[in-house]
Amino acid sequence: MTSTPPASTRRTFAIISHPDAGKTTLTEKLLLQGGAIHLAGEVKARGQARRARSDWMKIEQQRGISVTSSVMTFERANPDGTIITFNLLDTPGHEDFSEDTYRTLTAVDSAIMVIDAAKGIEPQTRKLFEVCRMRSVPIITFVNKVDREGRSPFETLDEVADALALDVVPMSWPVGMGGTFEGVLDFASGEISRPEGDSREFLGKRERAELPPEVAQEAELAQAGYPEFDLAAYRHGDLTPVYFGSALKNFGVTELIEAIARYAPPPRPQPSEAGEIAPDRGEVTGFIFKVQANMDPQHRDRIAFMRLVSGTFRRGMKLTPSALGKPIAVHSPILFFAQDREIADTAEPGDIIGIPNHGTLRVGDTLSEKNEVRFTGLPNFAPEILRRVVLKDPTKTKQLRKALDDLSEEGVIQVFYPEIGAQWIVGVVGQLQLDVLVSRLEAEYKVAAVLEPAPFDTARWLKGSDAAMKGFADFNKSSLAKDRDGDPVFLAKSAWDVGYQQERNPELTFSATKER
């Protein structure tokens, strides 16, 4: 009897949603089911000091939202005894951080989309759907909070189908809604998850039971009115299975995690300049999709998160970062279990490991044994808001430069250094990123600063011959800047300005994205 290859037991997935849909609560319950934590902490716990285990940043705890991506690993046994390793990435819920969500989705093989049963599909949820479609990430939809008053299950299914432009397949059904909620029926097993006593931390009593007539009729109509589940169509991104439940009361969570184990794809090939790199390639390869500074404020640490693409990584082995060109020894790779960390002796394709470093590794870097692979698909996007940074204490210029470089590397902001003028400019997608910037400058770098309006509306990366670049600079010096890599950037006063300059300078490329 042949053993199962380690890669086939990995499920690397993201959880995405709009704010307040229950994403962080669902993350907690999945960790609880996997034994990674022993008590699920609610995001807005009252009268107690518990905090959500996956939200560590001060501003996240204050506002009860996720604004940075967390990585958590846990294991769970299948009914056949196979141990499945789950790598869960909890993404920012706010649309202002869609760029961070996009980068996170480059590192996963599937996603769970969480929808609030009462609110349905919101405009920012559609934006997240679009991000998934851009990455061709298979989606499982979880309709949360079905124990509260909300829309009918059929209305929710139709909304999901419309927003995703995919076939939807109901895989479970709420037994009652709102005040009449009694549990969740799993179509595959025919069992109902029911409450028993205080259900706040209860994992769900599953039993075969006769459905109330009206629920039985609804369930019949749902199964007859929608297509059957097709594994190939789901993994190809043409279909989304839909599960109903209540993350807070732990209903439907068991069925959801079983679906991830059963249906979600194992590690997939990843795009590179030389074509796709398959997980069964012998060489160890991976890429950095996220960098996080100051996860432990006491140690001023800096962790680069690497998605392992191929090969079996072993602690202490030497890998070459593409941006550095010379090998480094990875002595202390980290696996994350909620707020706990463990040194990883080995890792397999699909695993996410943290690599402590002091600025050596950056988002977009490829790490490999032979330095012959370059992974693609991790871009910067043109900012939609530009602001000048003004120090309250002018003597802290050096600290500000360090902070802006760190935070731009994480993807919280982009930073531009104008050719003319001393005030640096930061670019973001949404206002909340600016709030995070000011908060973290003060909390982590002891730098007090204010943000002032900049005379620019957007930015474009410039490419062209030296002669073309010089000719453009002669007439537009006041609108030119360098990004943190030293690449030239045109700071435009408006979208019209971008179009005008493109028309006048056809030999130059004005790009709204830049491959990292």
Side-chain angles (χ1 to χ4, degrees):
M1 180 178 177
T2 58
S3 60
T4 306
S8 68
T9 64
R10 262 53 179 185
R11 299 293 182 270
T12 303
F13 66 101
I15 299 187
I16 54 180
S17 77
H18 60 258
D20 298 323
K23 174 174 61 66
T24 303
T25 303
L26 178 60
T27 300
E28 296 297 312
K29 296 304 167 74
L30 290 171
L31 293 175
L32 183 65
Q33 291 242 1
I37 58 176
H38 302 292
L39 182 66
E42 294 170 36
V43 182
K44 298 178 181 178
R46 295 180 179 177
Q48 50 189 307
R50 283 189 293 165
R51 295 289 184 184
R53 302 300 178 95
S54 57
D55 285 345
W56 58 270
M57 193 185 293
K58 183 179 180 182
I59 193 170
E60 292 182 306
Q61 295 183 348
Q62 288 173 341
R63 299 196 181 195
I65 58 173
S66 296
V67 296
T68 185
S69 302
S70 300
V71 178
M72 289 148 283
T73 296
F74 61 97
E75 295 179 341
R76 191 173 188 272
N78 270 345
D80 64 2
T82 307
I83 302 297
I84 300 292
T85 299
F86 296 90
N87 298 302
L88 185 162
L89 281 69
D90 180 20
T91 65
H94 203 283
E95 64 178 335
D96 288 359
F97 292 85
S98 56
E99 188 173 332
D100 193 29
T101 298
Y102 184 91
R103 282 194 294 270
T104 299
L105 289 172
T106 65
V108 301
D109 303 301
S110 63
I112 295 175
M113 176 66 78
V114 186
I115 295 171
D116 186 327
K119 296 179 181 177
I121 306 296
E122 298 189 33
Q124 55 193 346
T125 314
R126 291 179 183 270
K127 188 171 183 178
L128 291 171
F129 278 155
E130 290 167 8
V131 172
C132 283
R133 295 300 298 275
M134 288 170 66
R135 294 296 312 169
S136 299
V137 174
I139 297 170
I140 292 177
T141 301
F142 183 72
V143 181
N144 192 27
K145 305 182 184 180
V146 295
D147 55 321
R148 307 180 192 182
E149 294 298 334
R151 307 175 182 205
S152 77
F154 289 105
E155 187 177 356
T156 305
L157 290 172
D158 288 344
E159 283 187 338
V160 171
D162 177 61
L164 277 174
L166 300 177
D167 287 336
V168 299
V169 179
M171 306 293 280
S172 66
W173 202 253
V175 182
M177 288 286 279
T180 63
F181 177 70
E182 294 181 19
V184 175
L185 167 67
D186 177 35
F187 283 146
S189 67
E191 295 177 335
I192 301 173
S193 294
R194 291 186 182 277
E196 184 177 284
D198 180 8
S199 62
R200 181 170 293 276
E201 299 296 346
F202 182 63
L203 295 182
K205 178 186 176 184
R206 291 167 66 167
E207 62 180 14
R208 286 190 172 272
E210 189 173 336
L211 291 173
E214 65 276 9
V215 176
Q217 187 177 10
E218 270 191 358
E220 249 181 72
L221 288 171
Q223 286 186 294
Y226 294 93
E228 290 186 1
F229 178 72
D230 182 295
L231 181 62
Y234 154 66
R235 289 186 174 180
H236 193 260
D238 299 325
L239 173 155
T240 176
V242 180
Y243 289 82
F244 292 84
S246 168
L248 183 62
K249 294 188 177 178
N250 239 323
F251 292 115
V253 179
T254 299
E255 290 78 7
L256 184 63
I257 197 170
E258 288 176 353
I260 294 289
R262 187 181 301 120
Y263 305 130
R268 302 190 297 172
Q270 298 294 322
S272 79
E273 290 178 354
E276 290 191 331
I277 305 298
D280 59 3
R281 181 185 177 116
E283 179 192 6
V284 170
T285 66
F287 60 89
I288 305 298
F289 67 94
K290 175 183 175 61
V291 172
Q292 187 71 61
N294 307 320
M295 290 186 72
D296 183 350
Q298 293 181 342
H299 295 92
R300 308 289 293 177
D301 62 349
R302 188 175 187 276
I303 305 294
F305 293 84
M306 181 177 83
R307 155 72 189 241
L308 192 63
V309 175
S310 67
T312 297
F313 169 85
R314 291 179 175 83
R315 178 185 176 191
M317 74 186 312
K318 290 186 176 181
L319 298 175
T320 301
S322 53
L324 193 62
K326 59 182 180 180
I328 61 171
V330 185
H331 291 298
S332 304
I334 298 168
L335 283 177
F336 298 89
F337 297 89
Q339 286 182 331
D340 298 324
R341 306 179 182 187
E342 289 186 9
I343 297 296
D345 290 322
T346 64
E348 301 293 342
D351 285 342
I352 309 294
I353 59 174
I355 304 176
N357 69 103
H358 299 287
T360 308
L361 301 177
R362 303 174 53 187
V363 172
D365 279 357
T366 294
L367 278 79
S368 60
E369 293 181 88
K370 300 177 183 177
N371 197 26
E372 297 173 351
V373 174
R374 296 291 183 276
F375 290 108
T376 58
L378 282 147
N380 274 332
F381 296 93
E384 297 176 13
I385 302 173
L386 294 171
R387 292 288 185 268
R388 281 176 169 158
V389 185
V390 182
L391 279 170
K392 292 183 179 180
D393 180 356
T395 65
K396 293 204 170 183
T397 302
K398 185 177 179 181
Q399 292 93 320
L400 177 63
R401 176 74 183 241
K402 172 71 165 61
L404 293 180
D405 277 350
D406 282 354
L407 296 174
S408 66
E409 178 52 47
E410 289 181 30
V412 174
I413 59 166
Q414 294 184 56
V415 60
F416 305 106
Y417 302 102
E419 298 283 3
I420 296 176
Q423 290 179 326
W424 299 327
I425 292 174
V426 296
V428 296
V429 174
Q431 177 63 39
L432 184 57
Q433 287 175 286
L434 297 176
D435 297 342
V436 170
L437 169 62
V438 172
S439 172
R440 293 189 63 186
L441 283 176
E442 187 169 350
E444 298 173 23
Y445 298 92
K446 310 304 178 192
V447 171
V450 294
L451 303 176
E452 295 181 347
F456 307 108
D457 181 63
T458 189
R460 293 292 186 270
W461 284 274
L462 292 173
K463 283 187 179 179
S465 67
D466 290 343
M469 292 291 288
K470 184 180 183 305
F472 182 78
D474 287 343
F475 291 96
N476 297 279
K477 194 78 171 177
S478 62
S479 298
L480 289 179
K482 292 281 199 309
D483 66 10
R484 72 179 304 274
D485 299 317
D487 291 332
V489 176
F490 171 57
L491 300 175
K493 292 182 172 63
S494 64
W496 180 89
D497 194 14
V498 173
Y500 175 75
Q501 292 295 349
Q502 284 178 317
E503 190 174 328
R504 284 179 57 89
N505 300 275
E507 66 278 16
L508 291 178
T509 301
F510 294 73
S511 179
T513 62
K514 173 192 165 184
E515 187 78 21
R516 280 178 170 258

